[in-house]
Amino acid sequence: MRLRKRMVVATSGLSRSLFFMAEAKLLTVSIALTALTALAAAIGVGFWRRKTRADEEKIRELEKSLKAALQNCSAERQGRIRAQQALRKVAKSNDSNNSYPLAPIAITRSCFSTRNGTPRQPLIVPLARACLVFDPTRVPPASLEGLEGYSHCWIIYVFHLNTDLDKLWKDPSRSKFKAKVRVPRLKGERMGVFATRSPHRPCPIGLTVAKVDAVDGNKVFISGVDLVDGTPILDIKPYLPYCDSIPGAVVPDWVKVDNLLAITSVNFSHDFSASLNHCWSRKMEKKKKKKNEISLYTSQTEFQNLIQQVLSWDIRSVSQRIRPHITENVMLEDDDSQKELHILDDIVYHLMLEGLDISYKIDYGGNVHVEKIEPFQTEETYATS
């Protein structure tokens, strides 16, 4: 029994020793973990401080770069302003060449092949169509984005087919500029050029308005045009009804005479449809060969309607209308009645549309008789007798 007690006491002492040893180890491990945590925190704080200092240095460098860039931009802007001021000063001092360089930004592809037949005013021929082809090297297609949202646009262009353009390069004292021009609505009477829309002006720049049909890349399709094919375009601007339309605007009485240039009727001969069908078929064949050719009309019926709209106005020149004509009476049988026509000495006039030559006559009553259509052979506008 005494031995057993000694063994129990020894065992209890050993257990207490082991417990105290384990407790000491746990305390050591805990102290080590605490030290490691403190060390990691110290390292993290040091790294964060170094990173913060690096970020602050980068921010200061960026601020310096931004300040230098702003200073450079300001200096460049001031340099441009000084250069522009110097250019204007030189332009003012050079009286013989006080001009500004302007270059076309687009070229017109119009249904009107020549000046003859091109409407004198915009929108009076709704089917008159054209395409403005912009130069992508001068005008990026993105410049036209948003234009399709407007129904109409203003177009600034050059009267490039004027026969007196050589006067622009002459001294003003030698240009022999005509202060007055013949006005169609005044039957050839003269009016001050700035009271008219004559193309013969000191600066041959035109202004017109057209309906915007579509915008496709670097092309703008328009209608109601009074532009001849090949017209150089200087600028286009959207039409704004709230400021461009002026209620109560006043014009002279002679401008209000609308029926002076109106035609009584437009009639097509029996052979016209056949000749139009032949010319249209040839035109479609050429279009297939030329893939990049711009098509303004989809059918020959639509094209014939264009002819009727154009000839609904007297497109003849003032000299052609006011010169005397020999008339003769022709009696026509029409059922049981008789009609009398006055033919103006058999004069044949020509209208050039889409590269096609339309021949027509006008009788004494202002009726147009369209005779035939054929491919356009020459570039000159004429009337034959």
Side-chain angles (χ1 to χ4, degrees), residues 127-160:
L127 277 176
R129 295 173 184 166
C131 176
L132 306 182
V133 183
F134 287 80
D135 182 359
T137 62
R138 294 180 57 85
V139 181
S143 305
L144 300 172
E145 291 182 3
L147 182 63
E148 69 279 0
Y150 297 89
S151 64
H152 294 76
C153 68
W154 293 107
I155 302 171
I156 302 174
Y157 62 97
V158 179
F159 290 109
H160 69 299

Side-chain angles (χ1 to χ4, degrees), residues 121-123 152-155 207-211 223-226 239:
Q121 304 298 340
L123 304 180
H152 294 76
C153 68
W154 293 107
I155 302 171
L207 173 66
T208 188
V209 66
K211 183 178 180 296
S223 59
V225 302
D226 58 349
Y239 176 87

Side-chain angles (χ1 to χ4, degrees), residues 207-272:
L207 173 66
T208 188
V209 66
K211 183 178 180 296
V212 179
D213 292 330
V215 178
D216 183 15
N218 67 326
K219 300 180 181 67
V220 178
F221 293 87
I222 55 179
S223 59
V225 302
D226 58 349
L227 300 171
V228 70
D229 189 61
T231 297
I233 304 300
L234 298 177
D235 194 14
I236 62 171
K237 304 176 188 294
Y239 176 87
L240 304 177
Y242 75 90
C243 62
D244 290 340
S245 177
I246 306 174
V250 178
V251 298
D253 292 337
W254 60 268
V255 179
K256 302 176 185 177
V257 183
D258 292 331
N259 60 352
L260 182 64
L261 300 177
I263 290 296
T264 304
S265 67
V266 179
N267 308 288
F268 295 87
S269 68
H270 296 294
D271 299 331
F272 181 81

Side-chain angles (χ1 to χ4, degrees), residues 29-93:
V29 171
S30 177
I31 292 172
L33 289 174
T34 302
L36 288 173
T37 302
L39 179 61
I43 293 173
V45 170
F47 175 77
W48 178 79
R49 287 179 177 175
R50 287 194 299 271
K51 188 176 184 301
T52 301
R53 285 195 297 269
D55 291 343
E56 289 177 350
E57 290 178 359
K58 288 182 178 179
I59 291 172
R60 284 194 294 269
E61 290 177 359
L62 290 173
E63 287 177 345
K64 289 180 181 179
S65 299
L66 178 61
K67 186 177 180 181
L70 291 174
Q71 289 176 350
N72 290 335
C73 288
S74 177
E76 289 177 0
R77 182 174 180 274
Q78 291 176 358
R80 287 196 301 270
I81 292 174
R82 286 193 295 268
Q84 291 170 1
Q85 290 174 345
L87 180 61
R88 284 193 292 268
K89 186 176 180 181
V90 171
K92 289 181 179 180
S93 62

